[in-house]
């Protein structure tokens, strides 16, 4: 079911990303690392990401467009070296595509709003979903939830 939905011939019928910019503009708007991950599909080195060990309560938004992608309550320590989540903030925030690069069959995770590459999703995650969204820290920005106790 999942595979059929993501065949290349169907991809052409999907609506284009809401946010589209010329490549030169992305290069100006993003850091080199963000650009390499989001726009070129690179993977950051394991255990190097700034948000890997972040345990604060809040939202993980796309570093490219600000769309909310994941929430802290779905983050878990996978031991893989990349921020890991068992579900997206809302299903429609991400787009899944079959990825046959690197001689592996994987499922790529993309920001639906800007088309940026986020990482991959695997089926060895924890309950309740069994999914492991393995996401590059460089593709994310963290927005902490305001703590009402700390407001003056
Ligand atoms: Fe985005």
């Amino acid at each position: 079911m999942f595979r059929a939905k993501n065949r290349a011939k169907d991809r052409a019928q999907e609506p284009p990303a809401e946010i589209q910019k010329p490549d030169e503009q992305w290069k100006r708007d993003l850091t080199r690392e963000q650009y390499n991950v989001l726009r070129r599909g690179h993977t950051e080195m394991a255990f190097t990401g700034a948000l890997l060990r972040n345990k604060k309560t809040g939202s993980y938004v796309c570093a490219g467009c600000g769309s909310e992608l994941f929430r802290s309550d779905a983050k878990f320590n996978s031991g893989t070296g990349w921020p890991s989540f068992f579900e997206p903030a809302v299903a429609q925030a991400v787009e899944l595509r079959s990825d046959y690069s690197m001689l592996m069959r994987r499922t790529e995770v993309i920001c639906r709003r800007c088309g940026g590459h986020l990482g991959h999703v695997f089926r060895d995650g924890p309950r309740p979903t069994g999914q492991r969204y393995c996401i590059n820290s460089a593709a994310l920005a963290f927005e902490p939830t305001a703590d009402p106790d700390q407001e003056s």
Side-chain angles (χ1 to χ4, degrees):
M1 180 180 85
F2 172 77
R3 247 178 299 174
K5 221 170 97 180
N6 286 278
R7 272 200 302 244
K9 74 177 182 67
D10 297 326
R11 197 183 300 169
Q13 296 163 8
E14 288 169 10
E18 179 187 330
I19 293 184
Q20 298 204 43
K21 299 185 202 180
D23 193 55
E24 283 306 311
Q25 186 66 47
W26 282 118
K27 256 182 202 166
R28 280 193 289 272
D29 292 350
L30 301 173
T31 68
R32 176 191 281 266
E33 198 182 13
Q34 288 169 340
Y35 175 82
N36 282 338
V37 171
L38 285 165
R39 309 314 311 178
R40 305 204 51 202
H42 289 194
T43 299
E44 71 197 10
M45 280 179 57
F47 298 103
T48 62
L51 294 170
L52 175 61
R53 294 179 177 85
N54 182 40
K55 291 195 169 76
K56 291 176 186 156
T57 300
S59 293
Y60 292 83
V61 304
C62 177
C65 73
S67 177
E68 186 186 32
L69 300 172
F70 299 96
R71 294 192 186 126
S72 53
D73 56 8
K75 193 172 190 274
F76 68 99
N77 182 3
S78 65
T80 59
W82 292 279
S84 300
F85 305 86
F86 59 73
E87 66 184 359
V90 289
Q92 302 94 304
V94 297
E95 189 182 317
L96 305 181
R97 283 186 196 164
S98 292
D99 173 6
Y100 297 97
S101 67
M102 312 286 282
L103 302 175
M104 289 180 274
R105 190 173 82 75
R106 294 181 295 173
T107 301
E108 183 183 11
V109 184
I110 293 160
C111 172
R112 188 177 297 277
R113 193 162 169 213
C114 72
H117 170 83
L118 305 173
H120 292 87
V121 60
F122 302 92
R123 293 178 185 178
D124 57 5
R127 292 181 193 182
T129 63
Q131 306 273 304
R132 172 170 62 91
Y133 286 81
C134 184
I135 304 299
N136 289 280
S137 194
L140 301 171
F142 180 70
E143 294 183 352
T145 303
D147 183 349
D149 296 337
Q150 289 184 8
E151 283 174 15
S152 51

